[in-house]
Amino acid sequence: MKIKSLSLGFFFLVLINEGIAQNKINLFSEINYNSIPSVNLNEYKSVQDRDSRLQNPNIALGVAISGGGSRAQFFSMGVLLGLEEIQEENSNRNFLNEIDYFSTVSGGCYSAGYYLTILKNKLQYDNCSFNEFYFSKADAFKSDVNKSANIFSLLNNSRNEKGEKISMAQRLDFEVLQYDSGNPENQNKFKTQMLLSDFFIPRESKLNPQLPIMVANGTAYNNGERFPFMPHIIRALKINSSLAPNKASLSLDENNINNGYDFPLTYAITASSAFPGVLPKTKFGIKNQDKILCVIDGGASDNMGYETLIELLHNDSKVKDKNKKALFIDCLGQGKKAPFINDGKIGLLSLLETASLYTVQTRYMTFEKDVENVLDKYRIPTSNYQVIGFTTLRDYLLTLKKDQKYENLVAQLKETDDEAANWLKLHDDFKTELIAKFGTDSFKKDKYGEPLLSSLDKGKFKDFDASELLMLYEYASHVETKLKTTPEEKEMLLLSGRFAAYLKTNELKALLIENKGI
């Protein structure tokens, strides 16, 4: 308890010092507004008007994805791949196609943004599933963020504030949303930028919705309010330019940006993942004012995005409350590579990491109770939600029979330090073991003909023993909260996400059942 108190105090000290420096350069001026407008769907066409062959218009299904850097991105990507493998009873529809709403935070925005970009540009025109696309064409449409950022950036915030030659918004457009702003004719990227108008269709429009609605959530630095990026909210606050993270990063047509619909998705995602000191903060200009609205990481107000998701479901006027369903993808792992708890003296870096995650972790202690309170508020049955996370793997592991092989692995993990070479060997040994056990035909192949660990046939999941599941759980859940991930970490996260979705198959199928009772 003393360590936690010291960590929190140290973190506040860092933020106070940071705030003093910011006041000197006047980055965070107050703007005059009463409050951020609430989540509302009144001015938009209903997502239930999408193709009924793909989704049931009598069920409103929402998915919230938490933050957590690349760990969140690829674990939740694995879950999305797993959701497509869950078929609705007596139907060609699957859980992924049924999703009407995404509410995302930080790293969780990356997986949802990537999936919806591919859905808009490829899946609607190519006759293949998301799984088929991801495991056969993802080499051409990579979603890896090629940027390092860590807690040491807290001590070098001035560089972040000045921005880099390639802004974070441009980077996310290129690497996650597959759009090259510098060369729209790039054959390896899509020709149109993802905008909020891809998800939000005005009621008076002649167009019909094609995609689920996605909301990226940030936090207003000015007053700590949750900031859901939706057109009516952007318009109400009179946001008409972006200064994030440097002035050269965007020049918006004032007439377009004022309507909120033509707001680029990449700026919403950049804002949602702008953890103070680690990534550049997003700063937005206000029409006819010299003031700046600063939006930071959505995890500061709600790291799961559950409040926005439930409000979206509540505002779905076409579906009865009893048929409003939610799935929460919890990507909060341990955030450290070192397995198990040790009694070693905590170092400065660990202290900073613990401090930065302290508030988020304490909120998770009451998460399910908080969710049920909000569901009750809107008269949505509290039985209408499920949670998928690393704990899904852990809870299943507790039910498996432990043998000597398992005990040997526990001993090995306890002796494994943070050296990258040691974890690389653990990954390679694990992959070799699974290939020997299940055969190469159980895996899809990459462009070099090598088996992709993350593509293991889900029919083999039932044959995992305790040691194999322990290795998957320990490796994936201890990936650090960071942007840049290694290929090995990515594969383990994707596989763990698919496995976690598989373990929840029955519960998730139940969410797809329409309640026809009174």
Side-chain angles (χ1 to χ4, degrees):
M1 192 67 186
K2 290 182 180 179
I3 290 178
K4 286 188 175 181
S5 299
L6 176 60
S7 300
L8 188 58
F10 189 89
F11 186 51
F12 283 147
L13 179 62
V14 171
L15 290 184
I16 289 172
N17 289 335
E18 187 183 359
I20 293 173
Q22 291 162 353
N23 287 336
K24 289 180 180 177
I25 55 179
N26 199 32
L27 282 178
F28 300 98
S29 306
E30 291 292 340
I31 65 170
N32 295 318
Y33 65 89
N34 294 324
S35 181
I36 294 173
S38 61
V39 169
N40 197 303
L41 296 174
N42 288 341
E43 74 172 59
Y44 314 115
K45 285 193 172 182
S46 172
V47 290
Q48 306 304 343
D49 292 336
R50 291 179 297 145
D51 190 340
S52 61
R53 291 172 299 177
L54 296 179
Q55 58 95 30
N56 184 347
N58 298 316
I59 291 178
L61 178 61
V63 171
I65 308 178
S66 80
S70 286
R71 182 181 65 245
Q73 176 185 2
F74 291 113
F75 176 76
S76 61
M77 188 82 80
V79 173
L80 295 183
L81 291 165
L83 294 180
E84 190 180 53
E85 297 174 314
I86 297 176
Q87 293 289 131
E88 186 179 0
E89 298 292 344
N90 303 318
S91 168
N92 290 326
R93 296 192 292 248
N94 61 66
F95 196 100
L96 185 62
N97 286 343
E98 287 280 3
I99 297 171
D100 299 300
Y101 303 100
F102 285 95
S103 174
T104 59
V105 179
S106 192
C109 299
Y110 298 2
S111 58
Y114 180 84
Y115 163 63
L116 292 174
T117 298
I118 302 303
L119 182 60
K120 171 191 171 183
N121 291 281
K122 296 294 290 184
L123 299 187
Q124 290 185 349
Y125 306 103
D126 292 358
N127 188 23
C128 69
S129 68
F130 184 49
N131 273 262
E132 289 170 337
F133 175 89
Y134 196 82
F135 291 121
S136 65
K137 302 179 182 179
D139 281 330
F141 297 94
K142 292 182 179 179
S143 58
D144 304 73
V145 180
N146 187 24
K147 175 181 170 64
S148 296
N150 55 53
I151 204 71
F152 281 128
S153 301
L154 279 168
L155 308 177
N156 190 22
N157 195 52
S158 60
R159 179 181 175 186
N160 276 330
E161 288 302 335
K162 292 175 182 177
E164 300 175 334
K165 183 177 292 186
I166 301 177
S167 74
M168 190 61 188
Q170 291 170 310
R171 195 181 292 274
L172 291 178
D173 238 350
F174 186 84
E175 296 168 357
V176 175
L177 304 179
Q178 309 301 311
Y179 174 71
D180 186 351
S181 58
N183 179 18
E185 298 304 315
N186 185 343
Q187 295 300 310
N188 294 319
K189 298 295 175 182
F190 300 130
K191 295 185 181 299
T192 58
Q193 187 180 37
M194 292 293 284
L195 307 174
L196 295 194
S197 58
D198 287 311
F199 316 118
F200 298 94
I201 312 296
R203 283 193 180 274
E204 64 274 13
S205 173
K206 295 181 180 179
L207 300 175
N208 288 320
Q210 299 293 321
L211 301 177
I213 282 177
M214 174 182 169
V215 179
N217 295 281
T219 303
Y221 183 93
N222 304 68
N223 63 2
E225 279 192 75
R226 174 168 47 100
F227 191 113
F229 279 87
M230 302 177 70
H232 71 279
I233 293 177
I234 292 168
R235 186 172 63 250
L237 296 180
K238 299 181 179 180
I239 293 175
N240 72 342
S241 63
S242 171
L243 312 174
N246 52 43
K247 291 183 179 180
S249 63
L250 181 65
S251 177
L252 292 170
D253 183 316
E254 184 174 317
N255 294 326
N256 285 337
I257 197 63
N258 281 166
N259 67 24
Y261 290 97
D262 295 312
F263 190 89
L265 178 61
T266 185
Y267 287 93
I269 296 178
T270 301
S272 183
S273 54
F275 186 84
V278 178
L279 289 178
K281 303 170 185 63
T282 55
K283 299 174 284 292
F284 297 103
I286 307 301
K287 186 177 182 179
N288 298 327
Q289 292 192 42
D290 293 328
K291 305 296 184 180
I292 292 171
L293 172 65
C294 180
V295 183
I296 60 172
D297 195 318
S301 53
D302 175 8
N303 194 53
M304 181 62 76
Y306 76 91
E307 291 185 88
T308 294
L309 182 69
I310 296 174
E311 288 169 5
L312 286 167
L313 292 172
H314 169 67
N315 278 274
D316 190 316
S317 59
K318 288 202 171 185
V319 175
K320 296 178 180 179
D321 289 341
K322 63 187 177 185
N323 285 319
K324 295 177 178 179
K325 316 290 183 76
L327 170 63
F328 302 101
I329 303 177
D330 177 2
C331 307
L332 183 69
Q334 296 300 311
K336 301 176 190 295
K337 284 185 178 178
F340 303 99
I341 298 173
N342 62 65
D343 298 321
K345 182 178 178 181
I346 189 168
L348 176 61
L349 180 58
S350 296
L351 184 65
L352 285 168
E353 289 177 325
T354 302
S356 65
L357 293 172
Y358 180 84
T359 302
V360 171
Q361 289 174 331
T362 54
R363 283 178 180 158
Y364 272 80
M365 296 177 186
T366 61
F367 168 67
E368 294 205 25
K369 185 63 178 176
D370 293 341
V371 165
E372 292 176 4
N373 286 340
V374 180
L375 289 172
D376 272 336
K377 175 183 175 181
Y378 294 118
R379 299 182 180 180
I380 299 174
T382 55
S383 59
N384 282 11
Y385 81 94
Q386 288 292 326
V387 180
I388 289 179
F390 293 107
T391 53
T392 306
L393 300 176
R394 185 194 64 193
D395 293 345
Y396 178 64
L397 176 61
L398 295 176
T399 69
L400 296 181
K401 181 181 179 181
K402 314 302 188 296
D403 55 15
Q404 189 58 49
K405 178 185 173 186
Y406 173 87
E407 297 301 334
N408 292 342
L409 179 59
V410 169
Q412 181 182 4
L413 287 171
K414 285 183 175 180
E415 295 174 0
T416 301
D417 58 27
D418 262 354
E419 290 297 320
N422 293 332
W423 285 83
L424 177 60
K425 185 177 186 306
L426 286 170
H427 165 273
D428 291 347
D429 290 347
F430 178 67
K431 183 175 180 178
T432 299
E433 178 183 346
L434 292 189
I435 291 174
K437 180 174 181 177
F438 298 120
T440 57
D441 290 343
S442 298
F443 302 83
K444 293 181 174 62
K445 310 298 189 297
D446 64 16
K447 62 182 179 180
Y448 303 110
E450 289 294 316
L452 285 166
L453 179 63
S454 57
S455 70
L456 175 64
D457 182 352
K458 80 163 188 175
K460 307 299 182 183
F461 290 168
K462 68 182 187 307
D463 298 321
F464 265 54
D465 62 31
S467 65
E468 290 159 351
L469 191 59
L470 175 64
M471 185 71 260
L472 183 62
Y473 167 72
E474 282 288 340
Y475 201 111
S477 66
H478 287 82
V479 173
E480 296 168 298
T481 301
K482 57 185 179 180
L483 271 183
K484 199 171 184 179
T485 190
T486 68
E488 294 76 25
E489 290 171 336
K490 175 181 174 181
E491 286 296 294
M492 295 292 270
L493 287 164
L494 288 168
L495 181 58
S496 64
R498 287 185 60 228
F499 202 115
Y502 159 79
L503 293 175
K504 285 279 188 174
T505 295
N506 292 334
E507 294 88 340
L508 294 177
K509 281 186 175 181
L511 292 184
L512 299 179
I513 298 175
E514 183 181 342
N515 187 342
K516 298 182 183 294
I518 298 175

